[in-house]
Amino acid sequence: MSVAPPKMLATLRVNGAEIACAFNPNRTLLEVLREDLALTGTKHGCEMGHCGACTVLVDGETVLSCLTLAVECVDREIVTVEGMAGAGELHPLQRAFVECGAAQCGYCTPGMLLSAAALLESNGAPRKSEIEAALAGNLCRCTGYVKIVEAVALAAERMREAAHA
Amino acid sequence: MPEIRRVSTATNPDTGAAGTTAAAAVSSVARPAAPVHARKPEGFSVAGKALPRADSYAKVTGAAIYADDIALPRMLFGKLLRSTQAHARILRVDCSRAQALPGVVAVATGEELPVRYGILPSSPDETVFAIEKVRYVGEPIAAVVADDELTAEEALNLIEVVYEPLPAVMTIDEALRDASPKIHEESRRSDNVHKEVHLEFGDVEAGFAQADAVFEDEFFYEGNTHAAIEQHAVVADCSADGKITIWSSSQTPHYLHRIASAVLQVPASRLRVVAPPIGGGFGGKTEPFPHELAAAHLARKTGRPVKFALTRQEVFYTHRGRHPVKMKIKTGVKRDGSILACRLQTWLDGGAYGSYGVATTYYTGALAPVTYKMGAYAFDGCRVYTNKPPCGPKRGHGTTQPRYALECQLDKIAGALGLDAAAYRKRIAIDPYSETINHLRVTSCGLRECIDEVERRTGYSGRHGALPRGKGIGLAVSAYLCGAGLPIYWNPMPHSGAIVKVDRGGGVTVYCGTSECGQGSEHMLAVVVAETLGVDVMDVRVCAGDTDLTPVDLGSYSSRVTFMAGNAAHEAAESVRLRLAQAAGALLGIAPERCGFAARRVFDVGDPDRAVTFLEAAQAAEARFGTLVGSGSYTPPANLHGDFKGSGVGPSPAYSYTACVAEVGVDLETGEVRVERLTLAHDCGRALNPDIVEGQIEGSAYMGLGEALLEESAFRRDEHKIPNLLDYKTPTILDTPHIDAIIVETDDREGPFGAKEAGEGPLNPVIPAIANAVADAIGVRVYATPILPESVLRALDASPSGRLRLKSAPSPVPV
Amino acid sequence: MQRLPPFSYEPARSVAEAVALLSKYGADAMPVSGGTDLYANMKQRLFAPKVLVGLRPIRALRFIAYDDARGLEIGALATVRDLAESEIVVARYPALARAASSISTPQLRAMGTVGGNLCLDTRCNYYNQNLDWRAALGFCLKNGADICRVATGSRTCLAVNASDLAPVLQAFGATVHLAGAGGERTLDIAQFFTDDGRNALARDAREILVKIALPPAQPGTRSAYRKLRQRASFDFPLLGVASVVRLDAGGVCRDARVVLNALGPRPVEALEAAQCLIGTRLEPEALAVAADAAYKVGKPMENAGTTLAYRKRMLRVFTRRTLEDVAGAGAPA
């Protein structure tokens, strides 16, 4: 490759683990996650911010990894779909997506899950309109969004019940 | 939210249990006494249950490996150089500077892969890279593989292409002109017509002459594209022994296998195609593409694995999406609305290559009569070449556009004759177990029940024509195939094959060449096998879409998998079940016929407490018969269609039926249409998994909404105007209305456990239902899709009565 | 995958450091905050700076502050989401909160900054395309060619300012504060934009936008913003109309501003429309007259979604509706 500036060494905190890596400054978080760290659960459908498939959490906020440089994420907490499930146990959102049939082709699913996770972090009892607003940056081409909204509502309900228990 | 969504309408031929209506049984015309597949009188244990999809666990955890997730050691990255000219002669392609760029490993151009191919044997008009001529902006000319994608991209800029520009043909009208520049010189015609079809059933002119009223309308259906979220990707590898493996996001690994063998000049036995899970297809990944063939070629050339992952713009260029179609429809009716004659004419803008276009052309005529009785029917279809990315099949393949025209015209007829549009459609609806005017065999048919359901849920009949100005309600219906009755390349072999293996640990594996593109095909196979063998769905492992390991299935298109691969898997499982029953029967001391299978047990149907476990049965059977493997295959019956040229497109072993009601609000100042609710009732035969069926109905409704209001393949001068997901408007969650999906169950006698399709059919009525609702809301009609705000305003402006509330059309044209 | 071209990345920890880096690298460098516009444009090879100066670490510029004397101050690195959710903005400058919440998607509102939104590169559907697309159709003024594809006779680039915030800020009489090597300077926001889409900001390449200031909200002030778009999310405005009025205790309009955007390189203030409102009680007739006046000054081109004729027609409707919003409750539903 021509005129590539040298790689930078950095430590990224991904799904709770500190990972030392080296990347060029023009590498997006999406590229580093998928291609350097083999975290291919993060998908991409445009790399231009037009679809939301590459959504991950950075410091708890939904971020498009295609329009974020990896270098901008140093010292920040990155969560991908691989980091949602606990040891041997699905996140309530993941479980609800399975049970409601909210994942068809599954390609928008990781991004949807993380957008939904960010919502439930700040709003444990979202109305339907609030779920829709939170998912307005994630395109799905399979489901008509119906079962996705049902799944998020179901997961929220279960998380509230678990919190009360 | 949860209301009872399933409606059982048919009579089960085995149990004789009557449903809500007996339509399916009563009007039986040509019904054999015995069903093709034996049913289980004790009912189903897993079929029909809303079980979680086995493949969804991997999808929600990010563990599912799609084509672009594959990375192999020493893998190279490829990029395609694409034409910047819509129509030009290629005078020179010079790759020397690209080849010399550090990091570039190989380049390839047209002369290396000169074999012409086409997904249909009748249209072998493509090559991997353009040779001599380019025919659309975006057509591949050369490929580069390099150590990384940026270097490959940089190398593309170093390839010099010298063009001699030719005038581009960009519209149907231009293409029909004799003097238009020829896009395919080898065509013997003087215009750019690719395929012309003329069919007539009965005497249409006589029908018009006898009609009390004749209606003539013109409609235009705009092209649009699949826009699956996953962009096409492929990885190819060539091992030291010369065997090539292609992992590709393909809905049709078998066709890729066939054509790659021909194009690469490699025996099919030295070629393996694997379809990993696909991130959405909708018909957009159903034929071999240049990036797939180039990857295989360059893997062979370099001896290293090669990946091509298309950008979104390249996906728009690859296209094969919905054809733009101009339509004329002329219908002669009696005073009560009965259709005496109908003539449908279609002109399809095919883009630069054939693709499935010959089939698409026939499909624009084939399915209109599958919903309605007609006295006579004529169809004239014409597909033209233009200098645009090739069109092909998209969900509803070729039937979507004429369905829009027909259902809009029927509303006009109902209005003019003062008929309730729902009752009218029910009156002229095709009967179950009958034959259409174009000689298609109809089996189970829940069309009337579907209309009843949406009518009941929405109160359509009382509200249509009675809502305040700006509010509208519209109805439309449709029918769709459960797989094509004939293969796309002529051969007498099965359309689907499956192998079921039971291991001595009690595990079950089904092998089948289908590919999972999100529709739930793997789950459907697992349900059929689990139901047959009485095990849990999660006990069944599905190995799909691998030409080395799985028997051929023609692919995930034409809504064929549940029906055809399902039947093949059922037959395979039955063959194993027979041996299991013999072994278990011996253990239980009963005849094999008395063995029932459920809940991982094999039991005496006369005394269900007497049982062995499935595992015991499996081990006994393996001890007695050896390795437990059964195979099955499915070939559609031969009696599905008439005997005339062109009769091969349209026949299907069964048809699904759908009715849709759309409720809209129209802003009369801005022309913006807001769909408030879509209610769909779909006859899918028996729902093997109602959650999946609902998901297919909901997704179809959503996709139809996009086609009705937002999505269009737009061109600026001679290139795609909006090849990105920001400007090409797929509906967001906020644009998607409330969708009610109602399952109407018939029990198709040939479907696996009575099942038919659900993946495509429900899309078709959505567009005309919305169009009819908009017409109801504003009193005038927009005769083209998508129904854009500016079109609504134009229609209102142009109509002298448009600004008045006009609830019924003017008098019909007198004959 | 669409990838970024090579560059080096220099994070700035303070305004001074940012300005020093920009001065050091001159034309080779560009500042970046949220990156949502810049990275997408770079991926399309619209430009390829050798150095990106990252502003994100300048934490001090992420603030929203209000006091009754000085008014509202928005740090350039406040995110669009910060603005949309700011209680004071929602209460005192509702049109601004509404405009912010209408921008793109939740993800991009969390990533994108207020300063970045004001500094959006102008957009044109002949320009915001990949390199090979532009090569196929022919380059344009904004690409260094000598012809505008939208209006072949035009000497200037007609690409549009697609910021949702700009027209609202202008209607509120905002000022922008720029920091450069020579210190800070303040511009009326109307002066911040130029008439040429090639170089649509009056920002020197070595300056950064640090702050936007709005005068205190006067009693009786009402504001509204509406945007025309095809989808309820993701889309840039095809037309944005901001209206701000001040009514006296008797309900008579004493002050009014109507600003139109997404028509050309800069927001257009419909001065006559505002004049039509002053002295009225915002009766429907007055609103209609004002909407007609706005219709006359807005001149869309065929370079964004839908059609020129439709966007032009919607000028009147959208202007009147924002005025109905302010005549009614003060904020649209």
Side-chain angles (χ1 to χ4, degrees):
Chain A
M1 193 170 65
S2 62
V3 295
K7 284 189 177 181
M8 9 204 332
L9 290 170
T11 300
L12 292 178
R13 243 186 358 260
V14 185
N15 299 328
E18 306 255 332
I19 306 172
C21 40
F23 45 76
N24 285 312
N26 64 335
R27 298 278 283 175
T28 59
L29 180 59
L30 173 72
E31 291 162 40
V32 169
L33 289 173
R34 285 180 53 83
E35 296 172 348
D36 297 351
L37 306 183
L39 292 168
T40 53
T42 302
K43 302 304 182 202
H44 58 108
C46 70
E47 306 92 61
M48 294 285 290
H50 302 162
C51 76
C54 68
T55 301
V56 298
L57 300 184
V58 178
D59 290 342
E61 281 200 296
T62 55
V63 156
L64 298 179
S65 59
C66 74
L67 294 181
T68 302
L69 301 183
V71 61
E72 293 170 322
C73 297
V74 175
D75 295 331
R76 301 169 80 192
E77 198 70 51
I78 300 159
V79 177
T80 70
V81 68
E82 289 92 344
M84 287 185 78
E89 193 164 336
L90 295 180
H91 186 283
L93 276 163
Q94 292 172 313
R95 193 151 64 90
F97 267 57
V98 166
E99 290 174 15
C100 294
Q104 288 188 21
C105 86
Y107 219 72
C108 74
T109 305
M112 283 284 181
L113 284 166
L114 290 162
S115 284
L119 168 72
L120 298 190
E121 198 58 41
S122 62
N123 180 355
R127 294 191 303 269
K128 182 167 183 259
S129 61
E130 290 170 328
I131 295 172
E132 290 174 344
L135 302 180
N138 295 76
L139 293 178
C140 170
R141 206 60 179 148
C142 293
T143 62
Y145 305 103
V146 180
K147 300 210 183 302
I148 292 173
V149 174
E150 284 176 20
V152 176
L154 176 64
E157 192 184 319
R158 285 182 177 158
M159 287 166 75
R160 286 198 304 275
E161 281 166 9
H164 283 303
Chain B
M1 194 165 335
E3 49 181 323
I4 298 161
R5 301 194 201 180
R6 298 174 73 190
V7 182
S8 181
T9 64
T11 302
N12 184 310
D14 301 319
T15 61
T20 54
T21 83
V26 171
S27 24
S28 173
V29 173
R31 185 155 194 211
V36 171
H37 295 299
R39 301 292 163 66
K40 305 196 325 171
E42 72 271 25
F44 298 115
S45 52
V46 293
K49 297 209 162 55
L51 301 168
R53 284 171 62 155
D55 62 339
S56 55
Y57 294 91
K59 287 174 175 173
V60 302
T61 51
I65 300 297
Y66 299 79
D68 190 33
D69 300 337
I70 297 170
L72 299 177
R74 301 178 69 234
M75 187 169 79
L76 299 171
F77 292 83
K79 293 292 275 183
L80 295 168
L81 178 75
R82 291 176 180 272
S83 172
T84 56
Q85 298 281 318
H87 195 192
R89 241 172 265 295
I90 301 172
L91 301 182
R92 196 158 67 88
V93 180
D94 181 351
C95 298
S96 53
R97 286 174 63 216
Q99 179 78 69
L101 185 73
V104 170
V105 178
V107 297
T109 52
E111 67 276 7
E112 293 171 41
L113 293 168
V115 175
R116 288 157 63 91
Y117 67 92
I119 183 68
L120 299 186
S122 59
S123 310
D125 56 8
E126 298 188 56
T127 50
V128 176
F129 303 115
I131 302 171
E132 292 176 4
K133 262 179 85 165
V134 287
R135 297 181 175 86
Y136 66 94
V137 172
E139 180 169 6
I141 296 173
V144 175
V145 288
D147 290 327
D148 63 83
E149 203 172 11
L150 271 182
T151 303
E153 181 190 319
E154 194 180 338
L156 293 186
N157 297 328
L158 301 176
I159 298 177
E160 190 193 359
V161 183
V162 182
Y163 299 101
E164 178 193 325
L166 298 167
V169 179
M170 297 301 288
T171 66
I172 293 171
D173 291 341
E174 283 168 45
L176 288 171
R177 266 180 231 135
D178 264 354
S180 69
K182 289 263 294 241
I183 295 171
H184 289 274
E185 269 103 354
E186 64 278 13
S187 160
R188 285 190 295 265
R189 295 183 61 122
S190 57
D191 50 26
N192 278 298
V193 169
H194 167 221
K195 178 70 186 175
E196 208 177 319
V197 181
H198 302 281
L199 296 171
E200 184 165 353
F201 307 92
D203 187 340
V204 173
E205 288 310 319
F208 290 138
Q210 289 160 18
D212 293 321
V214 174
F215 294 80
E216 285 190 76
D217 288 295
E218 285 187 42
F219 294 91
F220 177 68
Y221 198 100
E222 182 56 279
N224 52 56
T225 202
H226 321 85
I229 304 295
E230 180 202 31
Q231 304 158 112
H232 307 47
V234 62
V235 175
D237 191 22
C238 182
S239 56
D241 62 1
K243 187 161 181 181
I244 299 170
T245 303
I246 302 171
W247 293 265
S248 185
S249 45
S250 172
Q251 295 175 246
T252 51
H254 171 62
Y255 294 149
L256 176 57
H257 191 220
R258 260 172 60 80
I259 287 179
S261 167
V263 171
L264 301 171
Q265 306 271 284
V266 173
S269 59
R270 310 291 292 154
L271 200 55
R272 176 186 184 190
V273 177
V274 184
I278 297 165
F282 315 111
K285 295 166 181 166
T286 51
E287 56 192 293
F289 293 113
H291 65 274
E292 296 172 312
L293 301 165
H297 173 65
L298 283 156
R300 177 173 62 180
K301 192 166 167 176
T302 60
R304 291 171 66 176
V306 169
K307 174 185 279 189
F308 280 80
L310 300 191
T311 64
R312 181 53 64 179
Q313 177 182 300
E314 290 181 288
V315 173
F316 276 94
Y317 288 160
T318 303
H319 191 46
R320 318 285 159 156
R322 182 91 67 219
H323 286 69
V325 183
K326 275 174 65 164
M327 293 166 284
K328 285 188 184 177
I329 180 165
K330 179 175 178 182
T331 304
V333 296
K334 290 203 285 197
R335 249 172 253 293
D336 69 356
S338 322
I339 298 174
L340 294 177
C342 176
R343 177 181 288 282
L344 176 63
Q345 292 170 284
T346 63
W347 290 267
L348 296 78
D349 181 345
Y353 291 99
S355 179
Y356 282 87
V358 169
T360 319
T361 309
Y362 280 109
Y363 275 132
T364 61
L367 292 205
V370 177
T371 44
Y372 301 118
K373 289 176 257 190
M374 296 178 180
Y377 177 64
F379 165 61
D380 306 292
C382 175
R383 182 182 193 262
V384 298
Y385 287 123
T386 54
N387 291 113
K388 297 194 267 195
C391 296
K394 182 185 171 192
R395 202 175 203 171
H397 190 191
T399 70
T400 307
Q401 302 95 328
R403 179 56 59 184
Y404 156 73
L406 177 60
E407 294 295 316
C408 286
Q409 192 185 54
L410 277 183
D411 252 36
K412 292 182 68 176
I413 294 173
L417 300 181
L419 304 171
D420 172 77
Y424 173 42
R425 283 181 172 85
K426 278 195 287 183
R427 190 147 42 74
I428 61 172
I430 200 92
D431 294 317
Y433 298 95
S434 63
E435 186 179 295
T436 68
I437 182 72
N438 55 339
H439 308 300
L440 299 174
R441 187 197 73 165
V442 172
T443 56
S444 60
C445 169
L447 176 57
R448 290 190 180 89
E449 293 80 359
C450 288
I451 297 173
D452 282 339
E453 278 305 312
V454 295
E455 214 286 320
R456 192 171 68 74
R457 303 289 175 113
T458 62
Y460 167 84
S461 293
R463 295 169 65 207
H464 183 250
L467 295 172
R469 184 164 162 75
K471 293 281 183 187
I473 185 166
L475 167 73
V477 310
S478 67
Y480 200 67
L481 320 164
C482 300
L486 294 173
I488 63 168
Y489 67 97
W490 192 90
N491 76 84
M493 291 176 280
H495 292 210
S496 249
I499 294 169
V500 169
K501 183 198 75 170
V502 175
D503 67 56
R504 60 179 66 175
V508 179
T509 307
V510 53
Y511 301 85
C512 183
T514 56
S515 76
E516 171 60 64
C517 50
Q519 82 281 47
S521 63
E522 292 191 6
H523 185 88
M524 290 305 177
L525 295 176
V527 168
V528 167
V529 171
E531 182 63 46
T532 309
L533 297 180
V535 297
D536 194 90
V537 173
M538 297 300 277
D539 297 338
V540 181
R541 182 179 295 274
V542 181
C543 173
D546 183 329
T547 60
D548 265 14
L549 303 181
T550 61
V552 166
D553 172 81
L554 294 182
S556 291
Y557 67 99
S558 287
S559 281
R560 50 180 301 292
V561 170
T562 295
F563 199 97
M564 297 192 177
N567 272 327
H570 184 244
E571 189 177 291
E574 281 288 344
S575 112
V576 178
R577 178 183 151 118
L578 210 60
R579 277 167 274 170
L580 290 167
Q582 284 176 306
L587 292 177
L588 294 166
I590 57 172
E593 301 79 61
R594 277 185 52 182
C595 286
F597 288 69
R600 298 194 186 113
R601 294 161 75 243
V602 183
F603 55 91
D604 179 352
V605 293
D607 179 5
D609 288 339
R610 294 195 61 234
V612 296
T613 65
F614 181 78
L615 179 63
E616 287 164 341
Q619 293 184 347
E622 187 173 338
R624 181 161 160 195
F625 300 108
T627 303
L628 286 177
V629 176
S631 70
S633 51
Y634 178 79
T635 309
N639 63 337
L640 301 178
H641 55 86
D643 181 20
F644 55 90
K645 183 168 164 34
S647 66
V649 179
S652 175
Y655 298 93
S656 74
Y657 289 89
T658 319
C660 173
V661 166
E663 291 161 74
V664 307
V666 180
D667 184 322
L668 299 169
E669 268 192 317
T670 65
E672 290 166 312
V673 176
R674 172 103 199 141
V675 176
E676 287 154 4
R677 182 159 73 132
L678 291 171
T679 306
L680 289 91
H682 179 70
D683 158 22
C684 65
R686 183 179 303 285
L688 293 184
N689 181 325
D691 268 1
I692 292 183
V693 174
E694 279 176 14
Q696 291 301 305
I697 298 172
E698 290 155 1
S700 295
Y702 148 89
M703 194 166 269
L705 169 91
E707 297 197 19
L709 297 181
L710 287 165
E711 299 179 35
E712 53 182 329
S713 297
F715 287 80
R716 167 167 270 158
R717 300 232 298 261
D718 49 16
E719 70 176 316
H720 199 297
K721 185 178 173 184
I722 45 172
N724 63 71
L725 285 182
L726 180 60
D727 296 318
Y728 182 88
K729 305 294 182 186
T730 71
T732 72
I733 194 168
L734 299 176
D735 306 298
T736 306
H738 184 77
I739 299 169
D740 275 329
I742 304 156
I743 297 172
V744 169
E745 287 196 304
T746 55
D747 184 0
D748 192 81
R749 64 165 193 245
E750 292 180 26
F753 300 108
K756 299 193 287 187
E757 76 89 36
E760 301 187 62
L763 179 143
N764 280 344
V766 175
I767 300 96
I770 291 173
N772 287 338
V774 171
D776 185 45
I778 65 174
V780 286
R781 188 169 282 279
V782 176
Y783 286 85
T785 68
I787 304 170
L788 301 170
E790 49 265 47
S791 334
V792 170
L793 293 184
R794 261 200 309 275
L796 284 168
D797 291 348
S799 164
S801 50
R803 294 189 180 275
L804 305 168
R805 181 68 179 174
L806 182 71
K807 275 300 187 182
S808 63
S811 300
V813 185
V815 179
Chain C
M1 192 184 284
Q2 301 247 143
R3 295 177 197 264
L4 286 164
F7 55 80
S8 51
Y9 181 84
E10 302 264 11
R13 276 157 202 88
S14 66
V15 172
E17 203 180 338
V19 168
L21 286 165
L22 288 171
S23 300
K24 176 178 163 193
Y25 293 110
D28 286 344
M30 290 177 85
V32 60
S33 53
T36 57
D37 185 49
L38 185 82
Y39 297 150
N41 290 345
M42 287 172 69
K43 286 183 173 188
Q44 294 200 306
R45 306 294 182 261
L46 296 175
F47 35 78
K50 292 199 177 74
V51 181
L52 286 184
V53 174
L55 306 181
R56 184 190 289 274
I58 312 175
R59 307 260 151 110
L61 290 186
R62 182 174 177 179
F63 66 91
I64 294 173
Y66 182 80
D67 93 43
D68 281 331
R70 299 175 61 188
L72 182 72
E73 294 191 324
I74 308 163
L77 291 181
T79 66
V80 173
R81 178 178 165 177
D82 292 341
L83 190 64
E85 294 178 354
S86 157
E87 284 175 22
I88 193 76
V89 175
V90 170
R92 306 282 178 108
Y93 306 89
L96 188 56
R98 184 177 166 85
S101 63
S102 79
I103 290 172
S104 194
T105 66
Q107 294 93 319
L108 290 165
R109 290 195 292 276
M111 297 162 70
T113 64
V114 174
N117 185 265
L118 275 191
C119 296
L120 276 182
D121 191 15
T122 53
R123 298 185 65 81
C124 169
N125 58 20
Y126 286 85
Y127 173 71
N128 294 94
Q129 301 278 1
N130 283 345
L131 180 63
D132 58 338
W133 192 99
R134 285 173 284 132
L137 194 120
F139 294 103
C140 70
L141 285 179
K142 201 166 160 66
N143 280 159
D146 56 4
I147 185 165
C148 170
R149 301 282 162 188
V150 181
T152 48
S154 180
R155 296 302 187 91
T156 58
C157 167
L158 301 169
V160 305
N161 181 319
S163 166
D164 285 298
L165 302 181
V168 186
L169 290 169
Q170 187 165 336
F172 276 118
T175 55
V176 297
H177 298 250
L178 297 159
E184 279 205 19
R185 64 182 178 126
T186 303
L187 291 176
D188 187 284
I189 192 167
Q191 299 169 305
F192 185 55
F193 303 110
T194 78
D195 286 322
D196 193 329
R198 276 174 292 198
N199 200 356
L201 298 179
R203 180 184 73 82
D204 184 89
R206 284 154 297 187
E207 284 179 316
I208 62 165
L209 176 60
V210 290
K211 185 175 75 178
I212 298 106
L214 281 75
Q218 299 295 320
T221 299
R222 296 172 173 194
S223 65
Y225 177 72
R226 281 177 181 258
K227 91 192 254 190
L228 173 66
R229 56 176 164 185
Q230 288 157 285
R231 298 182 296 183
S233 187
F234 283 99
D235 293 0
F236 283 104
L238 297 166
L239 168 68
V241 182
S243 292
V244 177
V245 299
R246 186 171 56 80
L247 307 182
D248 66 17
V252 176
C253 177
R254 293 300 172 198
D255 205 352
R257 284 180 111 163
V258 177
V259 182
L260 319 171
N261 203 23
L263 299 168
R266 67 187 307 164
V268 176
E269 188 157 357
L271 293 168
E272 199 192 319
Q275 278 306 315
C276 300
L277 299 169
I278 291 174
T280 74
R281 290 171 185 279
L282 305 184
E283 300 87 350
E285 304 73 37
L287 307 189
V289 172
D292 282 344
Y295 176 80
K296 286 187 194 117
V297 297
K299 294 185 172 54
M301 302 299 296
E302 205 66 89
N303 59 356
T306 75
T307 62
L308 185 165
Y310 182 69
R311 285 161 69 216
K312 175 81 177 165
R313 182 166 174 166
M314 287 307 104
L315 261 171
R316 183 184 273 125
V317 177
F318 276 64
T319 303
R320 201 199 68 234
R321 287 185 179 181
T322 61
L323 295 174
E324 286 167 356
D325 294 335
V326 296

